[in-house]
Amino acid sequence: MSDLTEAFVDSHDFKTQLSETAGAAFVSEGFEASAGRVNASDRPDLADFQCNGALAVAKAAKANPREVAGKIISHFSADSRLKAVDIAGPGFLNFVLSEDALSQRANALASDARLGAPKVAAKRKIIIDFGGPNVAKEMHIGHLRTAVIGESLKRVMRFMGDEVMGDAHFGDWGYQMGLLIVAVSEEQPDLPYFDAAFTGDYPTEAPVSLEDLGRLYPATAKRVKDGDEALRDKAKVATRELQHGRVGYRALWQHFVTVSREALIRDYGALNVTFDWWKGESDADPYIEPMIVDLKAKGLLVPDQGAQIVRVAREDDKKDIPPLLVVSSEGSSMYGTTDLATIVQRNAEFGPDLTLYVVDQRQSAHFEQVYRAAYLAGYAKPGQLEHAANGTVNGPDGTPFKTRDGGTLKLHDLVSQAVEKATSRLHEAGLGEGLSEAEFADTAHKVAVAALKFAELSNHRLTNYIFDLDRFMSFEGKTGPYLLYQAVRMKSILRKAADQGVSASAITVVEPAERELVLLLDAFDNALKETYLKRAPNLLADHVYRLAQGFSKFYANCPVLVGDDAAVKASRLGLVTLTLKQLELGLDLMGLSAPEQM
């Protein structure tokens, strides 16, 4: 019926069920099945679901929409899933589910290991490129979005059934490496790496720390920017010699990579972000020369003012698309060269059906060039390379976030600040007082990570948003700490139930708050489908937040362990158990985890 139906299997949610039934009804009345699309009602006080297809088909058929709706509604007259179905307004179909149908669905979800989550109909091999940190530079707040969004998409796609590889894809092979080599040679000229005649073993201990690299690179880059042409030329020569295999430069460069990677693993690890491949641009180097030969043989690589380029512009372009620079006039590989060669490398090593680049939207023009070159060369088919662009993390002035002194906030410092703030908020709320020191530290870290990551994920990836740690750290409203608090509340209920000897049983839906909560649990299926297809973790974040809200309302209106009716207690305990499982699964798919206690 739709892309959602065709792309996935094992969908048994009410939206899918009712859409299939309505679609068949429209077909039997001579209309397209797509008219039967059912959605959650805009007026949940009046109905659970609605279908507006009768209006569209009636207009095309020049018929009365209420008459068309009447024909469709007749197909639901004996539907045991429905307590009521009626026509509203000019021809809207409103569906109200029966309590029995909701109870059956809740128990089906409770017995389902996937808690209502569908699977992709056709498994694909997918690479998600969502790192992109540069060697010799500590990560900063600008890296937060790609890390958090990419990690969630990796988890969702893998959970939905695809074979997914996450690639950090370091920036470790360009002009900045030449700058660093020259900078170290100026500061430590007697090191053996700079002696072309040296034939011994190079030192195993790095001659520089990450702090040294962080100091040297910006200072050297500034000198070039300020007009030091001699330094610029030295760096270009060093870059070319590194890429062409000068042994001493390769050995020094390896130290740059090693000390940088240690910090990257630390900082990504603090955010619960992992990669299957810790590869860099340098890993594509063996593929560059054969690729250049292939591009020439295909007539795609042409000379241009001493350089070599691939023209990617098309006659129907409405804007100027510059050519892709493959080889510079100095003979060096360029940024686009390694990206194109990385596509070749990934084909050889994994053979992806899709490569998803979770990268800042400001790189869109660059990726357009690379993708077009890859399609021209036959390294990928149109649609196999996709830029899932993201916006920026901004300060109060609406520009990319800076520290008070105008600098860039390091990611490591950001996480430390968040943990400090979480610790303070937990104390202020009187939470975690009964925990050991180690348990409290673990809880504070989980709260901090939830605050940072949910702030990212609750916004659409293309949206620029204002960074406000105080707001993100609140235990109220649409925040990560609020989600964790609700999960901990559910865990507390289950512990109390165990202490009282109360066990969960089959779920029986009676009260309005129970209805609402089951409908939210049922919506997990569609939230995952939309997240997957739109590459939009904010849709999953929205579902998890609504689920937490729905539980809070249920908890306020339907006491779980109070009263004398054992059947009611057992049923509601079953609903709490199911809600906690789905909430924790949703948290995990966002890269979050809830502590046992607060």
Side-chain angles (χ1 to χ4, degrees):
M1 262 192 62
S2 67
D3 289 340
L4 289 181
T5 302
E6 294 166 0
F8 302 96
V9 294
D10 297 334
S11 290
H12 304 294
D13 61 305
F14 285 121
K15 180 178 176 179
T16 300
Q17 291 181 40
L18 293 173
S19 292
E20 289 174 349
T21 304
F26 273 97
V27 169
S28 69
E29 299 297 337
F31 303 110
E32 292 291 329
S34 58
R37 186 188 303 274
V38 170
N39 291 302
S41 175
D42 294 333
R43 291 287 306 277
D45 56 320
L46 299 178
D48 299 321
F49 294 92
Q50 66 185 49
C51 175
N52 304 336
L55 281 76
V57 299
K59 183 179 180 180
K62 297 181 179 180
N64 185 312
R66 286 187 66 89
E67 290 182 4
V68 172
K71 293 178 180 180
I72 302 304
I73 210 172
S74 66
H75 292 264
F76 289 90
S77 59
D79 197 319
S80 62
R81 294 169 299 184
L82 302 175
K83 180 164 65 174
V85 54
D86 55 42
I87 304 170
F92 301 113
L93 290 175
N94 282 342
F95 303 96
V96 179
L97 295 165
S98 70
E99 280 71 21
D100 283 347
L102 288 165
S103 299
Q104 291 174 23
R105 178 61 174 158
N107 290 305
L109 291 172
S111 63
D112 179 9
R114 294 179 59 79
L115 303 173
K119 285 187 176 182
V120 291
K123 178 179 179 179
R124 294 185 297 173
K125 299 177 73 173
I126 298 173
I127 289 177
I128 304 184
D129 181 331
F130 66 100
N134 288 317
V135 162
K137 297 180 185 177
E138 283 199 66
M139 289 195 293
H140 53 76
I141 191 172
H143 290 100
L144 184 64
R145 296 210 80 175
T146 58
V148 171
I149 294 170
E151 177 70 17
S152 183
L153 288 174
K154 180 190 73 177
R155 290 172 180 237
V156 168
M157 290 181 155
R158 187 173 286 165
F159 179 67
M160 299 289 270
D162 288 322
E163 182 181 355
V164 185
M165 301 291 287
D167 188 2
H169 196 61
F170 301 124
D172 66 351
W173 202 236
Y175 173 65
Q176 72 270 25
M177 295 297 101
L179 274 176
L180 279 171
I181 290 170
V182 172
V184 176
S185 73
E186 290 183 341
E187 197 165 88
Q188 302 183 65
D190 295 330
L191 291 174
Y193 309 100
F194 311 115
D195 181 358
F198 183 80
T199 57
D201 294 329
Y202 292 101
T204 56
E205 185 175 341
V208 288
S209 65
L210 185 61
E211 290 72 22
D212 291 328
L213 297 177
R215 169 179 56 82
L216 288 170
Y217 179 76
T220 309
K222 185 177 184 302
R223 286 168 56 191
V224 172
K225 186 177 180 181
D226 290 344
D228 191 334
E229 295 182 2
L231 177 61
R232 179 201 63 195
D233 292 342
K234 283 183 181 179
K236 287 183 176 181
V237 171
T239 301
R240 182 177 69 249
E241 292 184 345
L242 169 70
Q243 293 178 350
H244 288 183
R246 180 166 168 172
V247 179
Y249 285 3
R250 288 286 179 100
L252 179 59
W253 164 83
Q254 188 60 59
H255 286 309
F256 297 164
V257 171
T258 300
V259 299
S260 298
R261 183 171 296 184
E262 290 173 355
L264 295 173
I265 292 173
R266 174 201 67 191
D267 293 346
Y268 278 128
L271 289 168
N272 201 20
V273 172
T274 62
F275 295 94
D276 304 284
W277 282 351
W278 291 88
K279 293 181 181 290
E281 295 172 349
S282 59
D283 289 287
D285 183 61
Y287 295 86
I288 290 177
E289 285 304 319
M291 180 187 75
I292 289 174
V293 171
D294 181 61
L295 292 172
K296 287 180 178 177
K298 291 174 177 175
L300 296 173
L301 194 68
V302 296
D304 183 74
Q305 300 181 34
Q308 296 183 69
I309 63 172
V310 174
R311 301 189 189 280
V312 296
R314 299 169 182 161
E315 290 184 2
D316 59 349
D317 285 334
K318 293 182 170 46
K319 61 180 180 179
D320 182 44
I321 306 293
L324 180 70
L325 178 58
V326 177
V327 182
S328 73
S329 57
E330 290 83 19
S332 299
S333 300
M334 307 305 292
Y335 181 37
T337 318
T338 53
D339 273 357
L340 192 59
T342 296
I343 293 171
V344 177
Q345 171 210 357
R346 288 168 173 168
N347 287 339
E349 297 183 10
F350 187 63
D353 301 299
L354 171 69
T355 301
L356 195 64
Y357 295 76
V358 182
V359 182
D360 193 314
Q361 62 185 337
R362 290 171 290 187
Q363 295 288 317
S364 294
H366 166 74
F367 283 122
E368 180 70 17
Q369 292 173 290
V370 173
Y371 295 173
R372 288 190 180 194
Y375 297 147
L376 285 170
Y379 303 150
K381 297 177 182 178
Q384 285 186 322
L385 307 172
E386 181 180 334
H387 183 196
N390 57 266
T392 55
V393 183
N394 294 339
D397 62 353
T399 62
F401 187 89
K402 299 289 184 182
T403 58
R404 289 182 179 178
D405 61 4
T408 302
L409 181 60
K410 294 178 181 178
L411 193 57
H412 179 69
D413 294 338
L414 172 63
V415 175
S416 297
Q417 289 179 18
V419 171
E420 183 179 342
K421 179 71 72 174
T423 299
S424 175
R425 285 291 170 88
L426 285 166
H427 286 313
E428 289 172 6
L431 298 172
E433 294 179 349
L435 302 178
S436 68
E437 184 176 343
E439 289 170 335
F440 185 90
D442 178 66
T443 297
H445 186 266
K446 286 176 177 175
V447 170
V449 170
L452 293 175
K453 296 181 78 169
F454 190 75
E456 285 285 353
L457 296 171
S458 60
N459 291 282
H460 187 274
R461 55 181 168 78
L462 279 170
T463 303
N464 300 332
Y465 75 94
I466 303 298
F467 184 82
D468 184 346
L469 189 55
D470 284 333
R471 180 168 60 84
F472 301 161
M473 202 62 69
S474 174
F475 282 95
E476 298 178 352
K478 194 174 183 179
T479 69
Y482 170 78
L483 301 180
L484 300 197
Y485 181 75
Q486 295 302 331
V488 169
R489 176 185 273 182
M490 295 179 211
K491 293 181 181 184
S492 176
I493 293 172
L494 297 183
R495 284 195 299 271
K496 290 177 182 177
D499 292 341
Q500 296 177 19
V502 179
S503 300
S505 71
I507 299 165
T508 301
V509 174
V510 177
E511 297 296 329
E514 293 173 330
R515 287 183 59 93
E516 291 179 32
L517 186 53
V518 173
L519 283 168
L520 287 167
L521 290 161
D522 175 68
F524 186 47
D525 178 295
N526 195 67
L528 282 176
K529 292 173 184 174
E530 295 279 3
T531 297
Y532 180 98
L533 290 175
K534 296 178 180 178
R535 327 298 192 215
N538 65 293
L539 300 174
L540 172 61
D542 286 344
H543 170 79
V544 173
Y545 173 63
R546 288 195 301 271
L547 184 63
Q549 281 187 308
F551 168 76
S552 183
K553 183 175 180 180
F554 159 79
Y555 182 72
N557 290 278
C558 302
V560 179
L561 300 177
V562 178
D564 299 325
D565 193 324
V568 171
K569 285 184 181 181
S571 169
R572 290 179 179 173
L573 190 62
L575 192 49
V576 173
T577 302
L578 169 59
T579 304
L580 175 60
K581 287 180 178 179
Q582 194 182 98
L583 178 61
E584 289 206 292
L585 175 56
L587 290 173
D588 182 68
L589 293 175
M590 293 189 290
L592 312 181
S593 60
E596 291 302 309
Q597 300 181 60
M598 276 190 186

